[in-house]
Amino acid sequence: MKKVKLALIGAGLRGVNYTNYALEHPGEVEVVAVAEPVEDRRMSFKQAHRLPDEMCYADWREMLNQPKLADAVLICTQDYMHYEPTMRALECGYHVLLEKPMSPDPLECIRMGERARRSGLVFSICHVLRYTRFFGTMKQMLEEGRIGRLMSIQHNENVGYWHQAHSFVRGNWRNADETSPMILAKSCHDMDILLWLAGDSCTNVSSFGSLSHFTAENAPAGAPKRCLDGCPAAEDCLYYAPKTYLTDEDNWMKLAISDDQSYEGRLKAIQEGPYGRCVYHCDNNVVDHQVVSMDFRNEVTAVFTMSAFTKECSRTIKLMGTEGEIRGAMEKNEIELIRFDRNEPELISLETPGGHAGHGGGDEGLIRDFIRLVADGGMAQGLTSADISVQSHMMAFAAEQARVTGQVVHMPAYLERFASATT
Ligand SMILES: NC(=O)c1ccc[n+]([C@@H]2O[C@H](COP(=O)([O-])OP(=O)(O)OC[C@H]3O[C@@H](n4cnc5c(N)ncnc54)[C@H](O)[C@@H]3O)[C@@H](O)[C@H]2O)c1
């Protein structure tokens, strides 16, 4: 296989995570350039990948203004900063791996999809769940007819009360006016998995949900705006910031609050930054629980529940077919097959190196597949395509519209509206 050259735009948590693959597989792939405005991040990335100064840029525009310097670009900036670098990178002839969600704007998603299709370049979206053994095995079981014809899907995204507080109350994805609604930011993965497993296009979507708990009315009596300003509920509150961010235990949330990971650095971050705010006194507006029901052209029906109010951060799913059921809990990495014609269920235990880390192996599977597609010059077939990613993003936009208006959204009519807006 030809050795692939990558350039990274955005050396934050996700960008660094994907490019670690190059450090572990130097024979397959190398990172040759980075664009990152935060100097410390740029410098530490430069060191890790041994990049010369002239291949380290402070902005993606500078990098993409150079003659083509790699085979592919990884775009790992924040949600609202995906469209412009993607369009430019495709224009320059780069294959692109783009973080999800593609964009908070449906028209931009459609336009990127169209540009990619016209270019013939690889354009993969980081729908990492497709690359997990967990969902890959389920898809294979469906294709083998192990439960007959699939009829119904019940899928839960158990966000975890602590994950909700970190990312969707205090953190980057708390306010839909600045980034994306929850169903897009967090659950576009789930819309994508449902589309994949259902095996046909989505026809109708309805949805309900609201922000009900992380609001000022639910604050403990006398709670100040910031945890460290003498909160009387410090001892009992699940969300008291020092419990999450000043602990010695390993947790990824600590990494997000400051580049200075010393105790003093983290203390300063929660004294001054967004992660030290009381979860009941933030400027969050994304929902903390939501349901979406869908039907598909092949008459499969699906119900999806996203809830902040779970202990684990995981996904649980039940697929119901004419001859049996498949049940699975992602964090346990176990799938149960229950056939109607057998007395005992079959338990399938999936050994995943690294356990549940990196989305149950999905992060590594995704980058490996992208590199294979790029090495092949875009001729090979991937697990997904730009068209499919646009479809599942449109399901998420439709679900949000259904939730806000309280009306069922008929997908063909919804898509038609956008089709006329893009021509
Ligand atoms: N696939 C998944 O499961 C998954 C999980 C989490 C986040 N995400 C998505 O990944 C993306 C990145 O998330 P993150 O947590 O890594 O964010 P982050 O803030 O840690 O990283 C984004 C980086 O982009 C850099 N940046 C800003 N302006 C830039 C510019 N002009 N040129 C180059 N770089 C620039 C920032 O300085 C930052 O380092 C988001 O879209 C997020 O929604 C996906």
Side-chain angles (χ1 to χ4, degrees):
M1 193 168 92
K2 171 189 158 217
K3 186 163 171 178
V4 167
K5 290 186 177 175
L6 298 179
L8 173 66
I9 294 181
L13 287 178
R14 300 298 300 168
V16 167
N17 170 51
Y18 291 123
T19 45
N20 279 339
Y21 186 87
L23 299 176
E24 288 150 18
H25 301 85
E28 251 177 77
V29 56
E30 69 177 314
V31 180
V32 297
V34 65
E36 167 57 55
V38 177
E39 195 176 353
D40 287 352
R41 292 186 187 181
R42 193 168 66 245
M43 286 306 133
S44 90
F45 193 87
K46 170 182 157 19
Q47 262 178 8
H49 291 266
R50 298 170 185 224
L51 301 179
D53 284 342
E54 65 276 16
M55 295 301 253
C56 301
Y57 303 91
D59 182 70
W60 64 265
R61 292 169 194 83
E62 272 176 63
M63 179 200 271
L64 295 181
N65 278 340
Q66 307 300 318
K68 192 163 170 258
L69 43 74
D71 302 302
V73 173
L74 271 45
I75 300 179
C76 299
T77 43
Q78 282 297 343
D79 306 0
Y80 55 90
M81 263 200 248
H82 288 173
Y83 179 70
E84 280 186 69
T86 298
M87 294 299 262
R88 178 85 183 118
L90 290 169
E91 198 179 291
C92 297
Y94 288 102
H95 300 293
V96 172
L97 179 70
L98 171 63
E99 254 305 355
K100 57 84 335 210
M102 296 172 75
S103 160
D105 176 348
L107 273 177
E108 290 187 355
C109 295
I110 294 172
R111 286 186 178 130
M112 286 187 275
E114 278 174 359
R115 172 64 64 90
R117 193 177 329 111
R118 280 204 309 272
S119 72
L121 295 158
V122 179
F123 181 40
S124 299
I125 311 303
C126 295
H127 284 308
V128 289
L129 296 184
R130 285 193 184 219
Y131 297 87
T132 58
R133 285 196 69 200
F134 182 76
F135 285 109
T137 304
M138 283 193 183
K139 176 70 179 168
Q140 194 183 341
M141 289 166 81
L142 289 177
E143 283 174 352
E144 289 167 359
R146 304 277 287 276
I147 57 166
R149 177 180 164 194
L150 176 67
M151 287 292 174
S152 322
I153 310 178
Q154 192 183 314
H155 178 53
N156 282 34
E157 177 170 32
N158 312 301
V159 176
Y161 67 98
W162 46 273
H163 186 7
Q164 181 85 20
H166 173 82
S167 298
F168 306 101
V169 178
R170 290 176 167 135
N172 287 340
W173 297 278
R174 70 194 180 279
N175 193 306
D177 307 323
E178 287 176 21
T179 52
S180 317
M182 190 76 180
I183 190 73
L184 189 69
K186 184 81 182 99
S187 309
C188 69
H189 282 315
D190 303 275
M191 296 297 109
D192 185 66
I193 278 298
L194 288 169
L195 178 64
W196 195 41
L197 295 177
D200 209 338
S201 54
C202 180
T203 315
N204 291 292
V205 179
S206 68
S207 181
F208 304 94
S210 52
L211 170 62
S212 303
H213 181 68
F214 295 100
T215 58
E217 311 78 86
N218 295 310
K225 295 261 173 348
R226 304 189 74 86
C227 294
L228 289 176
D229 290 348
C231 182
E235 205 168 309
D236 297 328
C237 181
L238 291 170
Y239 305 102
Y240 183 59
K243 287 181 189 164
T244 307
Y245 302 112
L246 298 184
T247 168
D248 289 335
E249 283 167 24
D250 270 350
N251 79 46
W252 59 265
M253 293 180 287
K254 289 194 312 196
L255 296 177
I257 67 168
S258 171
D259 287 330
D260 177 357
Q261 282 293 301
S262 67
Y263 181 88
E264 292 70 30
R266 287 181 282 134
L267 179 63
K268 185 168 188 291
I270 62 169
Q271 279 166 338
E272 297 169 9
Y275 295 95
R277 295 181 294 176
C278 168
V279 293
Y280 302 103
H281 290 305
C282 287
D283 58 344
N284 55 315
N285 66 5
V286 301
V287 299
D288 50 28
H289 62 302
Q290 182 169 4
V291 291
V292 182
S293 36
M294 290 147 270
D295 68 353
F296 295 82
R297 205 169 52 173
N298 56 5
E299 298 179 3
V300 169
T301 56
V303 180
F304 167 66
T305 300
M306 181 288 295
S307 183
F309 308 107
T310 63
K311 192 163 174 76
E312 304 276 359
C313 169
S314 86
R315 288 174 164 94
T316 42
I317 188 163
K318 182 156 109 167
L319 304 168
M320 292 155 269
T322 52
E323 294 169 23
E325 292 172 36
I326 297 171
R327 299 179 192 165
M330 196 175 166
E331 90 281 5
K332 292 197 185 121
N333 245 331
E334 266 176 20
I335 295 176
E336 203 181 7
L337 171 66
I338 299 145
R339 295 239 350 141
F340 299 158
D341 59 1
R342 292 201 201 127
N343 290 333
E344 294 298 318
E346 183 185 334
L347 197 63
I348 301 157
S349 212
L350 306 165
E351 284 299 315
T352 304
H356 195 53
H359 294 100
D363 290 0
E364 182 168 340
L366 172 113
I367 186 79
R368 193 187 313 114
D369 193 55
F370 178 71
I371 286 157
R372 178 182 66 84
L373 295 176
V374 171
D376 215 54
M379 303 308 286
Q381 190 67 29
L383 265 192
T384 184
S385 69
D387 280 351
I388 300 284
S389 292
V390 173
Q391 257 191 64
S392 58
H393 275 68
M394 295 309 284
M395 284 165 62
F397 288 115
E400 186 61 4
Q401 174 168 313
R403 184 187 74 82
V404 171
T405 61
Q407 291 184 346
V408 175
V409 175
H410 181 54
M411 284 303 292
Y414 183 70
L415 294 175
E416 190 50 41
R417 256 185 32 213
F418 288 103
S420 47
T422 47
T423 48

